[in-house]
Amino acid sequence: MGLLIGFTTILVVIAAGAALAHVGVLDRRSQRTLGEIAFFVASPALMVVTISQVHLEAAAANLVASSVSLAACFVAYVVIARLRWRLDTGALLIGALSSSYVNAGNLGIAIAAYVVGDITVVVPTLLVQMLLVQPAALIVLDRITGRGEGVAPAIRRLVTNPLTIAAVLGLVLATTGWRLPAPLLSPLEMLAGAAIPLMLMSYGAALRLSPPIGRAGHNGEVVVATVLKMTVMPVVAWGVGVGLGLDDRVLLGVVITAALPTAQNIFLHATRYRVGEDVARETILVTTLASLPAALIVAVLLG
């Protein structure tokens, strides 16, 4: 029931954004504005609140399996897409992220709580994505979109990026055990609550305002990203987890996290940097629809 509720909630909010675009309340400009608000305000608040509450020592066991499965699919997409379509760096990066960057901070936490009974199983993936993969990707995206030249501007953009700052702050809080005072935590929690609806509604509006699935001319890239995300990534996670001797509960958590759909914030980044939007949008939709049966299969086989 938890799986069904989680996926139904996401689809309903996406549908709300699509409906608002259909009736003219949201146009392309306002759809992007929703994404900008999420990027600069609500998502950083969500990162601080979420990461600050995890127990790092309990989450260390599956770090290797989570990282290897992510890296394997990322590299596989880069190799395949570079050889097959000769994509430019921006499109290549967004496609690789779409094939490997999971919805750990949103749907992952809910599924971990309902199916595995322990939200710490998604923490390694969440931290690797937020503290390593995402900052590196943002440096590259900033650089190729012409926002400055050289290493110093890239480092400056990294340390001033709101999502990176929020992830580091959350990690410091989690490591030290410090807790934010209530007058600061309360507004952060309120802003954090807006992040997922803003991202999902922006995504739903983009679906309605963009060409239908399959008509944007990137079917090959979407198929490759989807197969890597929904098939290869869980299998690699399972293989590495078994090889490391992870116990049944942790192994279930690692594999079911790998079987999550592509995170909506990949589309947020694609929109923000005006690159790879079609591939990100369509891969997120296809993997979201495919991930419910995938998660159910994983739960049956390993639960």
Side-chain angles (χ1 to χ4, degrees):
M1 181 61 70
L3 279 173
L4 184 61
I5 291 173
F7 281 99
T8 300
T9 300
I10 285 176
L11 292 174
V12 167
V13 180
I14 289 173
L20 290 173
H22 181 73
V23 300
V25 174
L26 294 177
D27 56 14
R28 176 63 69 180
R29 181 177 180 180
S30 55
Q31 175 263 319
R32 292 188 184 277
T33 299
L34 289 180
E36 296 284 338
I37 296 172
F39 183 89
F40 284 104
V41 181
S43 290
L46 178 63
M47 292 301 99
V48 172
V49 171
T50 300
I51 297 177
S52 68
Q53 295 175 354
V54 304
H55 301 286
L56 299 179
E57 65 280 0
N62 64 33
L63 178 63
V64 174
S66 301
S67 300
V68 170
S69 63
L70 188 157
C73 291
F74 187 99
V75 172
Y77 183 91
V78 169
V79 172
I80 294 171
R82 177 70 78 181
L83 294 176
R84 176 64 179 83
W85 296 289
R86 306 292 181 182
L87 301 178
D88 60 56
T89 302
L92 200 64
L93 177 56
I94 292 297
L97 291 172
S98 298
S99 72
S100 60
Y101 198 107
V102 307
N103 192 345
N106 174 14
L107 189 60
I109 290 176
I111 288 180
Y114 282 109
V115 179
V116 185
D118 181 6
I119 67 171
T120 62
V121 295
V122 304
V123 169
T125 299
L126 182 64
L127 293 179
V128 167
Q129 290 183 164
M130 288 303 305
L131 299 179
L132 295 177
V133 179
Q134 181 170 260
L138 292 176
I139 287 178
V140 175
L141 289 171
D142 276 338
R143 183 69 180 273
I144 64 177
T145 52
R147 303 181 181 188
E149 298 294 338
V151 175
I155 294 176
R156 183 171 61 252
R157 287 190 296 271
L158 172 61
V159 299
T160 57
N161 182 280
L163 295 178
T164 304
I165 294 171
V168 171
L169 178 58
L171 184 60
V172 170
L173 292 173
T175 302
T176 61
W178 297 338
R179 289 292 176 262
L180 294 173
L184 182 58
L185 180 61
S186 182
L188 275 179
E189 290 177 334
M190 180 175 289
L191 289 170
I196 294 168
L198 284 171
M199 285 190 288
L200 293 178
M201 290 179 69
S202 174
Y203 173 60
L207 287 177
R208 177 62 185 86
L209 297 170
S210 300
I213 297 295
R215 297 185 183 180
H218 300 280
N219 293 351
E221 295 99 307
V222 172
V223 169
V224 170
T226 300
V227 170
L228 288 171
K229 180 68 210 64
M230 302 310 301
T231 303
V232 176
M233 192 168 181
V235 170
V236 172
W238 173 81
V240 176
V242 170
L244 292 174
L246 298 181
D247 64 53
D248 292 343
R249 180 188 59 79
V250 176
L251 182 62
L252 171 61
V254 169
V255 178
I256 210 165
T257 299
L260 290 169
T262 303
Q264 280 83 14
N265 58 328
I266 300 306
F267 176 73
L268 180 67
H269 299 326
T271 301
R272 166 71 178 158
Y273 293 98
R274 310 294 194 267
V275 61
E277 294 177 67
D278 293 329
V279 172
R281 182 186 68 253
E282 296 189 4
T283 303
I284 290 169
L285 177 59
V286 175
T287 57
T288 298
L289 294 176
S291 57
L292 177 55
L296 290 173
I297 291 171
V298 171
V300 169
L301 292 178
L302 300 179

